[in-house]
Amino acid sequence: MTRSRTTLLLAAALAFLTPSTTAHAEPAPLAVTDPGFEMGGTGWEFTDGTGVAVNNPHAGSRLAYLDAGSGMTVSQTVTATGGGSYLVSAWIATGGPGGRYVLRVNGVEAAARTLPAAANYRRHTLGRITLAPGDRLEIAFASGQGWINVDDVMVSPAAPADPRVSSSDPEVAAMFDWAKGKAGSWVHLPGTRGPLDADERQTGGTGTGVYAPSYWAGYANRSGYYSRDTAHQLAGAGVLGLHAENREMLRAFAASATAGHAYYPVWALNFDNRTPLSIDYRGPSLFVREVPAPFELVQKAEEAYRWSGDPAYLDDPALWAFYRHTTEEFVTLHDGQKDNGPVKVAEGTGRGIFQGTASYDEQSDEPLTEAGDAIASQYQAYRAMAALARAKGDRVTADLFGRRARDLKRYFNSTWSGTGSGADMVRGYTTDGHALTGWGKENSWFMPMKGIIDPGARREAYLDYIDAQAEGDGRPDNIEALTYLPDTFFAGNRPDTAWKWMRRVYAQKDVQHVNSRQGTNGDYPEVSFTLVAQTVQGLMGVTPDAPARTLTTQPRLPSGMDWLSVEDLRVGDSAFTLRHDTDRRSTLTHTTGTAAYTWEARFPGAHAAVAVDGVRRPARTEVVDGVTYTVVRTRVAPGRTVTVEVR
């Protein structure tokens, strides 16, 4: 393909983009000069025994090095032009222990880390550092017993929320603390200038751009975020209060889902929130696209609305058009190979990711036209569309998509998934109409995770099957696939199994990722964001509804965990402290807010009575997705603490 032809294709492809607001954005209030040392170390100070080299860059073509020994430093001092709290990260490789990574504010050490011996690059983060305008921040790397390589320094704004977890089990507290800090380090400071289209083929990118509100969601060696990763990381970002980033990233995907793209959003975007990441985009008819992704983005937009209470999710024309196009035209355009009777099911081509694949399972060579993860995600998109329309006051649309969701689920359970159980349940169809059973990774575990399988013995058998396969020869090699398993088992009300998989993922955080350019497993952003969400939404059973000022909780503590608490749990403009003591007592404190919340406290099982702040009440039970709960609803005003206990 000639260069001029490529230029023409990209010009046509970029026609969907909204006018840039980042080109004239204010500069970042804390900007590091030459963070990747590509300008030869401009802005940095080097002592003897240090400098810039080209032998082992993390990205681009250059890095900073420090020889082994004592007394050598590489440092830069920057002046804050605005106030705020910040995290500072750097990719560091070491030939021995004893080096140090240090932040100083106005000459006083504010944070430091002694570096371990690790020859492969790892990402190290320091902060939260609070600065006032005019404060001077020094970023310094000091030598140790072995050589040190440093690259790609990054400044992040501290997340608006700072949730803190404590528990009778110290592992969950340590896990959450690590995950919170790591997830926060992936957030971009708006106004920062950085590379565009960086990937393993063009490590320095093809130029630079001004970054908009966004966070890393995908490989750490690529300068962009992916629709699939964004969908899975959004809940964790919501726990951290990253509502502006969630909204702007979702809106960027929404704007790309044009008729010219057959209503697919692009697969990945640069951090400018405008341009497609070039490794996955070759033109408007040749880009990576997978059927579950647009449906997941609709579902997650509704979830972001519940976390934030932001009316933009209802009022923004680009977002609303995306919801409608995804659940209407997208389904119609991509339904034509398999006859599903009166029910429409979006399909893939069976020809690979650049032609539109039915499943997230990219390692499979099955020519899928319909897949379990796609139909299950479509079901949740219908439910989300109904909820969003109801919130908007559009009862006709809400009722329409409520019916479509119910019809699709009924068809799935009566016809699409066959009559088998466990390994014999259908989880996809090939382009020639052949039904597939057995292990399909994403197109297996997405079905119970998205709630499309009816409750009962068949679903329980399928959960058993998923757990056995993920433990055995069918286990995925990549850590990001395993991050879905806790969600799957929390959705199936199996906290012991979900906690097992959370611990398994966390235990592998320092293992080298199967993609060597990515770094360690823990440096894959999805790992930290999902562990944050799985602690709060999974173990603590938090379901927010900021627009309705309602908070639902359900203790899902695994065996041996006596109590679990989270402070600074942000929902809308309120903050809470929530504690569960086993599965029989919950305490909620509304620490800050402008109005009372309705707290719906759920407890598994049917109990004879409940007590609210010690006052006995008759018990009320409800069945939710096949599970019986004792439910209490009570108002919790700002400043008030309420304890609910089942007896």
Side-chain angles (χ1 to χ4, degrees):
M1 181 178 290
T2 66
R3 187 176 183 85
S4 59
R5 174 63 174 161
T6 302
T7 302
L8 287 171
L9 273 174
L10 288 176
L14 299 181
F16 70 83
L17 296 172
T18 55
S20 173
T21 58
T22 59
H24 305 291
E26 291 293 324
L30 189 66
V32 177
T33 302
D34 195 13
F37 302 97
E38 297 303 302
M39 297 186 291
T42 300
W44 293 91
E45 295 183 9
F46 299 87
T47 66
D48 290 342
T50 70
V52 174
V54 297
N55 61 309
N56 182 36
H58 170 259
S61 58
R62 292 178 173 84
L63 67 141
Y65 71 88
L66 298 88
D67 288 336
S70 61
M72 290 167 276
T73 61
V74 174
S75 64
Q76 180 175 157
T77 300
V78 295
T79 300
T81 60
S85 296
Y86 304 94
L87 308 175
V88 184
S89 305
W91 288 89
I92 304 173
T94 60
R100 295 186 81 226
Y101 170 30
V102 183
L103 300 182
R104 298 183 180 90
V105 177
N106 298 327
V108 178
E109 187 172 295
R113 173 169 298 170
T114 299
L115 300 171
N120 292 325
Y121 274 105
R122 296 185 180 184
R123 197 164 185 268
H124 296 269
T125 301
L126 296 177
R128 309 163 66 106
I129 300 296
T130 300
L131 301 174
D135 279 348
R136 292 171 59 78
L137 173 67
E138 180 188 3
I139 305 167
F141 306 92
S143 58
Q145 297 175 32
W147 54 264
I148 297 175
N149 290 346
V150 179
D151 205 354
D152 297 323
V153 177
M154 175 177 163
V155 175
S156 300
D162 186 22
R164 297 171 296 281
V165 163
S166 55
S167 175
S168 59
D169 185 340
E171 184 177 10
V172 70
M175 179 189 298
F176 186 84
D177 190 56
W178 172 84
K180 176 185 69 172
K182 179 65 76 171
S185 78
W186 294 113
V187 182
H188 286 290
L189 187 61
T192 299
R193 181 168 286 277
L196 302 177
D197 293 324
D199 57 52
E200 52 271 27
R201 303 173 308 176
Q202 42 196 27
T203 59
T206 58
T208 62
V210 178
Y211 288 177
S214 59
Y215 50 80
W216 232 289
Y219 284 136
N221 62 312
R222 296 181 182 177
S223 62
Y225 54 89
Y226 282 72
S227 54
R228 171 180 175 165
D229 297 71
T230 298
H232 202 203
Q233 293 176 207
L234 182 139
V239 173
L240 297 177
L242 301 174
H243 303 314
E245 288 78 6
N246 279 342
R247 181 188 64 243
E248 294 306 307
M249 292 163 69
L250 286 169
R251 192 186 188 284
F253 281 121
S256 74
T258 62
H261 286 153
Y263 295 110
Y264 270 108
V266 297
W267 187 234
L269 287 154
N270 280 297
F271 295 122
D272 62 359
N273 288 4
R274 296 183 61 248
T275 53
L277 196 64
S278 61
I279 192 172
D280 298 295
Y281 191 93
R282 300 171 188 169
S285 60
L286 191 63
F287 62 98
V288 176
R289 48 203 189 272
E290 300 179 9
V291 173
F295 294 130
E296 279 216 285
L297 293 176
V298 173
Q299 177 193 357
K300 295 302 178 174
E302 194 270 340
E303 190 171 339
Y305 175 57
R306 301 300 172 189
W307 272 109
S308 66
D310 187 345
Y313 287 103
L314 305 181
D315 300 335
D316 187 300
L319 286 169
W320 194 258
F322 173 67
Y323 312 151
R324 292 302 302 261
H325 290 318
T326 300
T327 53
E328 291 278 10
E329 290 93 338
F330 178 82
V331 176
T332 300
L333 278 173
H334 301 285
D335 174 33
Q337 298 183 68
K338 181 180 180 297
D339 183 6
N340 294 294
V343 175
K344 294 181 179 180
V345 178
E347 299 167 341
T349 63
R351 297 198 301 271
I353 59 175
F354 274 90
Q355 288 75 35
T357 181
S359 174
Y360 278 153
D361 183 11
E362 297 177 354
Q363 298 177 357
S364 171
D365 58 1
E366 297 166 333
L368 289 169
T369 184
E370 293 181 4
D373 46 343
I375 192 172
S377 297
Q378 182 177 335
Y379 164 68
Q380 284 295 338
Y382 283 166
R383 296 185 75 239
M385 186 67 211
L388 288 162
R390 191 174 300 111
K392 199 175 175 69
D394 185 349
R395 293 183 60 184
V396 172
T397 300
D399 291 346
L400 171 65
F401 282 95
R403 286 194 301 273
R404 287 185 181 176
R406 291 190 295 273
D407 290 346
L408 187 62
K409 185 173 185 177
R410 187 181 304 113
Y411 169 70
F412 172 89
N413 286 282
S414 66
T415 306
W416 193 94
S417 60
T419 58
S421 179
D424 296 324
M425 181 183 286
V426 173
R427 45 87 181 174
Y429 290 86
T430 60
T431 52
D432 63 1
H434 178 67
L436 295 175
T437 57
W439 181 232
K441 297 180 181 176
E442 284 89 345
N443 50 74
S444 289
W445 65 65
F446 262 61
M447 296 190 293
M449 187 182 77
K450 295 292 186 182
I452 198 170
I453 305 177
D454 281 338
R458 193 166 182 246
R459 185 172 70 181
E460 297 307 310
Y462 204 63
L463 288 169
D464 290 340
Y465 174 69
I466 289 169
D467 190 41
Q469 291 299 307
E471 288 276 19
D473 294 339
R475 178 178 178 173
D477 295 328
N478 54 327
I479 194 72
E480 59 271 26
L482 295 182
T483 64
Y484 286 99
L485 294 176
D487 299 317
T488 298
F489 291 104
F490 279 127
N493 282 296
R494 295 192 178 191
D496 283 358
T497 310
W499 175 233
K500 176 190 74 173
W501 286 107
M502 287 178 68
R503 297 181 68 216
R504 191 78 55 85
V505 168
Y506 181 61
Q508 296 181 47
K509 65 182 175 62
D510 295 325
V511 176
Q512 189 70 23
H513 191 273
V514 292
N515 176 352
S516 60
R517 297 182 181 92
Q518 153 63 35
T520 64
N521 285 331
D523 284 326
Y524 197 104
E526 200 167 355
V527 170
S528 54
F529 278 91
T530 52
L531 287 175
V532 167
Q534 287 154 3
T535 303
V536 174
Q537 289 188 310
L539 293 171
M540 304 208 74
V542 169
T543 302
D545 192 348
R549 296 193 178 277
T550 297
L551 180 63
T552 301
T553 65
Q554 171 193 340
R556 295 195 189 102
L557 276 57
S559 301
M561 190 180 293
D562 296 328
W563 62 271
L564 180 63
S565 174
V566 60
E567 300 175 61
D568 199 29
L569 172 64
R570 305 279 187 94
V571 179
D573 62 0
S574 287
F576 302 89
T577 295
L578 173 67
R579 173 172 168 141
H580 295 312
D581 290 273
T582 67
D583 60 356
R584 300 182 68 86
R585 183 173 65 203
S586 298
T587 302
L588 183 71
T589 301
H590 193 166
T591 53
T592 61
T594 58
Y597 261 66
T598 297
W599 177 26
E600 181 175 304
R602 293 180 182 172
F603 301 90
H607 297 275
V610 299
V612 179
D613 289 337
V615 178
R616 188 180 178 93
R617 289 188 185 178
R620 173 181 176 182
T621 60
E622 294 181 9
V623 177
V624 181
D625 196 29
V627 178
T628 299
Y629 296 96
T630 299
V631 179
V632 176
R633 292 181 180 86
T634 186
R635 299 278 283 175
V636 186
R640 188 182 173 207
T641 297
V642 177
T643 297
V644 178
E645 187 172 7
V646 293
R647 297 178 175 178

